[in-house]
């Protein structure tokens, strides 16, 4: 079984950081989308395996092509490597999960203070805040 | 010995709470059994954007639970997949008191007169089971009115030029139109189309003791913060319970309809599920109404096998579970060079019915409308152009610049049914109670694809004429549809050989067994179906009350 420690690697975080990069607005890592991704992967062993495998190969390619670990490369070189993998199943799944966390309600853990909604201009207009009424236990999940 | 109840109703969704109210108000003792739980805004209003009836990436908010409720989906290449409720191929609607109506978008459409006579108008394509309804628009019109008045609809009574004759106006004014509607209105005018505000079962003004809509940005998929959305759980159910004649049993599954040695229906077997230890017991009634939604109603009839009915109840002619249909939903997206987004929920504000019928060389057609406010996660998953990378700066830029500049036009297509699109019982897979699960197989008749592609092009024209500078969408292809608009599996008709019930929903060969939900629809109209389900329930419920 995959553990949190197996998953939370610098390569995973670096890739997530390029899936939704920071610019004038926060990126995936700034809002906690990496934590959201890890939480989902811990529930899905087959997907977790395939993504870990993909990340190892990505890192190998980084060493071969640029002589450095993926997470040490400048963004432009990271993007070149990701482009080669962008249609693989594991990367597409990782991109989907990252975007889910980043654009979903803050209680899902990847959209701190609903900042992605502020960026795109979505208004929730709920009397109780962005997540609607929440039992306390849910917050702690 | 007298029966425990005058009537047992299986499922507390759109149709049967109406029947329950009508029977209870007529003094009948009614038991309403629902496998799902009761929902409220305070407890269940949490906006989980990834686990709801609109986007179920990881589960639902209105049931059924992810575990213990599988189905089997047979793909077009013949491969079989065991699917959980939130996975593609399951075709979920909901499982809760009120079912889909607690969280629906509440579009409240009457079908058009020609929707009830598709075979007469268009002929029957070879291999399809296109047919007329056994009743016409005129038979249902008074009951559409009862649904609009008693559940509570808001609309523009004169707006829809194609509609059949109506009596009373909608009890509430339509939702306000904002600048997305103004944008699309320009396109409609340029094309000479009739467009108007679609009817909704939403309080646009305070009504029936409940508040008006507060325009939140997450209507469809969630319970309402101001209780302004009119489902059956906040309208007909309280009426039924207020009589003191109706008992509601949530968290309880009906596992079979029971018959005696002569084959007469005597009651049902219940499996209560509240605290995790299933409790089985039988209850008797003079009549049973099956209202589990098109997939589960068919499954329950098939599960109720006995020596006398080896293929299930009402299935002597092999009709139960066939003609499964829903709606193809062609969708077009358009990019505008200015902000066209509305923040005021629910979002759907403009529609046309100009293409429901009378399209050259095409069978039927469908209604087109703009969309509910798309939640950001839904926008990201469905609205991006196909050639845009799903990662990196381009994807982020598109979300930031596009969320308020993209509009969508979409609509339900009147399907041409096939007898091969069906619900049967799977022979291997069982649910958490050990009962065989629904197995879904087949597709609609291929002619549906022609109609869907035609509607896709009409949506494209409308979007382009409205000033979109870039337009995209996914071409419809052959599929099984069912999902939230599932229908057709216990069709009513004039002849037992070609249908499951008569025009009152009475199962052929059984005087005291009725179906009352979208299963009855011989065809499913080019509209969201719920007002038709409700109207049929008002009609058939009144009839049943007079018979019991
Ligand atoms: C998010 C969403 C949005 C929608 N928006 C619209 C809209 O805008 N307009 C529109 O017209 N329609 C809409 N619909 C569809 C509409 O809700 C359905 O068409 C309608 O609810 C179907 O009614 P029904 O009576 O056929 O079945 P249902 O309402 O599904 O009722 C069936 C009930 O029976 C229960 N049940 C099944 N089997 C058993 C059993 N064996 N024992 C006990 N209980 C059982 C189920 O749990 C369920 O609660 C929407 C649905 C959803 C989910
Ligand atoms: S948009 Fe209006 S009717 Fe819909 S859930 Fe929000 S407040 Fe309720």
């Amino acid at each position: 079984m995959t553990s949190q420690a197996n998953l939370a690697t610098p390569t995973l975080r670096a890739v997530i950081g390029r899936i939704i990069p920071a610019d004038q607005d926060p990126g995936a890592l700034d809002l906690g989308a990496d934590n959201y991704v890890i939480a989902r992967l811990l529930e899905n062993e087959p997907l977790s395996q395939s993504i870990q495998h993909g990340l190892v190969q990505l890192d190998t390619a980084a060493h071969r092509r640029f002589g450095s670990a993926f997470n040490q490369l400048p963004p432009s070189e990271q993007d070149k490597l990701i482009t080669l993998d962008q249609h693989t199943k594991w990367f597409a799944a990782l991109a989907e999960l990252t975007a889910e966390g980043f654009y979903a309600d803050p209680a899902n853990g990847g959209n701190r203070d609903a900042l992605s909604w502020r960026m795109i201009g979505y208004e929730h207009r709920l009397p109780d805040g962005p997540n609607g009424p929440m039992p306390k236990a849910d917050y702690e999940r | 010995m007298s029966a425990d109840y005058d009537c047992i109703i299986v499922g507390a969704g759109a149709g049967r709470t109406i029947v329950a109210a009508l029977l209870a108000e007529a003094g009948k003792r009614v038991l309403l059994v629902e496998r799902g739980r009761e929902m409220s805004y305070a407890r269940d209003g949490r906006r989980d954007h990834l686990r709801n009836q609109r986007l179920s990436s990881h589960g639902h908010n209105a049931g059924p639970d992810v575990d213990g409720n599988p189905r089997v989906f047979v793909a077009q290449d013949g491969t079989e997949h065991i699917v959980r409720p939130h996975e593609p191929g399951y075709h979920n609607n909901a499982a809760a008191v009120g079912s889909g109506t607690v969280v629906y978008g509440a579009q409240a459409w009457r079908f058009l007169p020609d929707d009830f006579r598709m075979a007469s108008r268009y002929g029957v394509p070879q291999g399809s089971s296109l047919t007329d309804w056994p009743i016409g628009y005129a038979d249902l019109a008074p009951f559409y009115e009862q649904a609009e008045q008693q559940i509570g609809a808001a609309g523009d009574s004169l707006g829809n030029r194609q509609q059949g004759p109506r009596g009373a106006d909608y009890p509430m004014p339509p939702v306000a139109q904002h600048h997305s509607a103004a944008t699309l209105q320009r396109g409609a005018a340029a094309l000479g189309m009739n467009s108007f505000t679609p009817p909704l079962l939403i309080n646009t003004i305070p009504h029936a003791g409940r508040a008006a809509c507060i325009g939140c940005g997450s209507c469809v998929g969630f319970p309402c913060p101001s209780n302004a959305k009119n489902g059956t759980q906040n309208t007909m159910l309280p009426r039924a319970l207020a009589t003191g004649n109706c008992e509601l049993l949530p968290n309880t599954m009906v596992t079979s309809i029971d018959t005696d040695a002569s084959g007469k229906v005597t009651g049902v077997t219940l499996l209560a599920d509240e605290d995790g230890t299933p409790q089985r017991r039988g209850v008797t009634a003079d009549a049973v109404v099956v209202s589990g939604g098109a997939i589960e109603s068919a499954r329950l009839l098939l599960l109720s096998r006995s020596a006398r009915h080896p293929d299930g109840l009402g299935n002597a002619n092999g009709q139960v579970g066939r003609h499964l249909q829903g709606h193809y939903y062609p969708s077009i997206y358009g990019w505008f060079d200015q902000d066209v987004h509305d923040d005021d929920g629910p979002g759907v504000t403009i529609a046309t019915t100009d293409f429901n019928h009378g399209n050259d060389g095409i069978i039927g057609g469908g209604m087109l409308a703009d969309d509910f406010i798309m939640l950001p996660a839904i926008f990201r998953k469905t609205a991006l152009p196909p050639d845009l990378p799903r990662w990196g700066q381009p994807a982020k830029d598109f979300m930031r610049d596009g969320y308020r500049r993209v509009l969508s036009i979409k609509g339900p297509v009147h399907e041409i049914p096939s007898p091969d699109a069906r619900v049967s019982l799977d022979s291997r897979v069982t649910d958490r109670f050990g009962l065989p699960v629904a197995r879904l197989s087949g597709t609609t008749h291929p002619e549906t694809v022609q109609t869907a592609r035609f509607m896709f092009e009409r949506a494209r024209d409308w979007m382009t004429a409205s000033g979109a500078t870039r337009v995209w969408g996914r071409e419809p292809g052959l599929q099984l549809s069912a999902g939230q608009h599932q229908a057709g599996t216990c069709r009513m008709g004039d002849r037992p050989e070609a249908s499951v019930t008569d025009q009152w929903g009475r199962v052929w060969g059984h005087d005291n067994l009725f179906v009352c939900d979208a299963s009855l629809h011989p065809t499913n109209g080019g509209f969201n179906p719920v007002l038709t389900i409700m109207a049929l329930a008002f009609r058939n419920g009144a009839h049943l009350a007079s018979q019991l």
Side-chain angles (χ1 to χ4, degrees):
Chain A
M1 279 298 284
T2 307
S3 69
Q4 169 100 15
N6 297 143
L7 278 170
T9 61
T11 320
L12 177 76
R13 290 197 200 281
V15 174
I16 289 175
R18 294 314 299 158
I19 288 174
I20 304 175
D23 49 17
Q24 70 269 35
D25 291 301
L29 297 176
D30 304 313
L31 301 193
D34 49 335
N35 298 328
Y36 169 82
V37 170
I38 290 167
R40 292 292 77 71
L41 290 182
L42 287 171
E43 298 166 352
N44 187 339
E45 184 65 18
L47 182 60
S48 180
Q49 291 289 344
S50 108
I51 287 179
Q52 286 178 85
H53 183 72
L55 291 169
V56 168
Q57 296 209 313
L58 189 68
D59 220 20
T60 310
H63 281 288
R64 203 174 48 229
R65 189 149 162 206
F66 299 110
S68 161
F70 181 88
N71 68 308
Q72 304 290 334
L73 293 172
S76 61
E77 287 173 357
Q78 290 180 332
D79 285 359
K80 278 185 198 141
L81 289 168
I82 290 180
T83 304
L84 298 175
D85 270 2
Q86 64 178 337
H87 299 301
T88 59
K89 272 196 173 152
W90 75 267
F91 180 78
L94 184 58
E96 248 358 84
L97 284 176
T98 304
E100 277 179 6
F102 190 77
Y103 293 113
D105 58 299
N108 262 298
N111 180 17
R112 187 172 47 78
D113 298 334
L115 288 176
S116 78
W117 294 355
R118 187 181 305 167
M119 170 181 95
I120 68 174
Y122 167 70
E123 286 187 26
H124 65 78
R125 297 210 178 169
L126 290 169
D128 348 54
N131 309 294
M134 294 237 336
K136 193 159 176 291
D138 264 19
Y139 257 125
E140 289 161 354
R141 179 165 58 139
Chain B
M1 203 183 79
S2 96
D4 300 334
Y5 297 92
D6 293 317
C7 186
I8 297 171
I9 303 178
V10 184
R16 60 310 275 100
T17 28
I18 294 168
V19 178
L22 298 180
L23 293 180
E25 286 172 353
K28 311 294 177 200
R29 293 165 305 142
V30 180
L31 178 67
L32 186 56
V33 188
E34 168 56 51
R35 66 181 173 157
R37 61 197 173 80
E38 278 187 276
M39 293 177 71
S40 67
Y41 179 71
R43 208 186 50 204
D44 307 293
R46 148 93 157 98
R47 262 40 183 180
D48 186 334
H49 286 214
L50 303 172
R51 293 170 196 80
N52 61 76
Q53 243 59 11
R54 187 64 157 185
L55 180 63
S56 57
S57 303
H58 303 287
H60 289 97
N61 53 350
D65 290 343
V66 166
D67 294 318
N69 301 292
R71 284 178 182 157
V72 172
F73 175 69
V74 184
Q76 286 176 50
D77 64 8
T79 54
E80 297 186 8
H81 309 268
I82 300 177
V83 285
R84 296 180 294 170
H86 63 299
E87 291 168 344
Y90 190 91
H91 291 284
N92 190 32
N93 181 31
V97 174
S99 186
T101 75
V102 185
V103 296
Y104 64 0
Q107 290 196 50
W109 293 99
R110 295 182 179 206
F111 288 2
L112 301 178
D114 276 355
D115 291 332
F116 297 89
R117 41 182 157 103
M118 290 292 282
S120 299
R121 170 140 190 191
Y122 296 101
V124 180
Q126 197 172 12
S128 85
S129 45
L130 195 65
T131 183
D132 292 353
W133 284 47
I135 59 173
Y137 175 80
D139 297 305
L140 212 51
F143 301 98
Y144 272 133
E145 187 170 312
Q146 290 185 13
E148 289 165 355
Q149 300 295 327
Q150 297 182 38
I151 311 277
D156 170 1
S157 306
L158 301 175
N160 180 359
R161 282 192 214 141
Q162 314 297 335
Q163 72 184 338
R166 52 181 306 131
D169 286 350
Y170 291 108
M172 290 177 280
V175 285
Q177 290 192 319
H178 304 286
H179 66 314
S180 62
T183 305
L184 295 174
Q185 164 61 40
R186 276 195 294 278
L191 296 173
M193 278 162 45
N194 167 226
S195 66
F196 58 97
T197 312
L200 294 164
L201 289 161
I202 282 177
N203 291 351
T204 48
I205 51 175
H207 179 77
R210 284 178 289 106
C213 165
I214 57 169
C216 81
S218 47
C219 190
V220 59
F222 298 98
C224 176
S226 62
N227 207 8
K229 186 152 67 175
N230 298 316
T232 47
Q233 82 291 346
N234 57 2
T235 55
M236 299 310 282
L237 184 62
R239 257 173 68 176
L241 298 177
T243 63
N245 296 327
C246 176
E247 204 180 311
L248 172 68
L249 265 188
N251 308 305
T252 305
M253 172 103 176
V254 173
T255 60
S256 67
I257 299 155
D258 302 327
T259 47
D260 65 15
S262 73
K264 185 178 152 57
V265 170
T266 54
V268 303
T269 301
L270 304 177
L271 204 51
D273 190 27
E274 198 134 27
D275 51 9
T277 36
Q279 310 267 5
R280 194 182 294 269
R281 69 181 165 108
V283 278
T284 58
D286 294 333
V288 172
V289 179
V290 180
S291 307
I295 295 174
E296 292 298 319
S297 283
R299 177 183 175 220
L300 182 59
L301 290 178
L302 296 172
L303 280 173
S304 303
R305 296 179 278 210
S306 63
R308 239 191 131 83
H309 306 105
D311 300 318
L313 286 178
N315 198 27
N317 292 302
Q319 288 293 313
V320 172
R322 292 194 182 274
H323 325 291
L324 176 61
Q325 54 199 295
H327 285 126
Y328 283 49
Y329 232 97
S331 305
I332 277 285
Y333 301 89
W335 175 281
F336 293 80
D337 291 336
Q338 70 283 357
D339 185 334
V340 287
H341 181 81
D342 275 325
D343 296 307
D344 286 316
V348 51
T349 52
I350 185 166
T352 185
T353 53
D354 279 8
F355 306 110
N356 281 74
H357 292 283
N359 305 306
D360 241 1
I362 296 291
I363 298 182
M367 179 274 292
L368 291 174
D370 58 348
D371 203 355
F372 294 89
I373 291 179
M374 273 183 271
L375 300 184
I378 293 181
F379 187 91
R380 163 60 182 70
K381 278 187 187 285
T382 61
L384 270 44
D387 57 355
L388 182 81
R390 265 49 184 170
W391 67 282
Q393 201 63 50
K396 187 178 186 189
D397 289 342
F398 189 91
M399 288 296 296
R400 182 170 39 212
D401 302 338
Y403 184 72
R404 300 184 66 90
R405 290 185 177 187
V406 171
L407 291 180
S408 173
I409 295 174
K410 51 176 59 176
V413 168
H414 199 150
E415 294 189 352
I416 293 105
S418 159
D420 299 330
R422 68 188 290 205
V423 179
S424 52
L425 293 181
D426 196 75
S427 56
R428 292 174 303 122
V429 181
T430 55
D431 67 9
R432 66 190 191 286
F433 302 125
L435 299 166
V437 303
R439 174 186 171 89
L440 310 180
S441 58
T443 65
T444 65
H445 189 275
E447 190 66 37
T448 311
V449 180
Q450 306 311 317
T451 312
R453 293 212 169 131
F454 174 84
M455 293 310 302
F456 183 72
E457 292 308 322
R458 299 295 72 73
R460 183 196 296 278
D461 293 348
W462 186 5
M463 191 63 89
T464 307
S466 304
T469 51
R470 189 180 169 203
V471 174
W472 65 95
R474 199 159 52 89
E475 277 259 322
L478 188 66
Q479 63 180 46
L480 176 75
S481 30
Q484 295 172 348
H485 293 182
Q486 58 186 266
T489 54
C490 304
R491 55 165 44 172
M492 51 182 176
D494 296 323
R495 294 181 303 125
E497 310 83 65
S499 54
V500 176
T501 82
D502 70 9
Q503 59 148 310
W504 301 104
R506 185 193 304 264
V507 175
W508 294 113
H510 294 275
D511 281 350
N512 61 346
L513 177 61
F514 298 80
V515 174
C516 187
D517 60 22
S519 313
L520 294 176
H521 298 185
T523 68
N524 207 23
F527 295 96
N528 312 56
V530 85
L531 197 75
T532 301
I533 299 168
M534 291 169 167
L536 267 179
F538 274 104
R539 175 176 179 271
N540 296 359
H543 178 77
L544 180 56
S546 74
Q547 304 276 305
L548 272 181

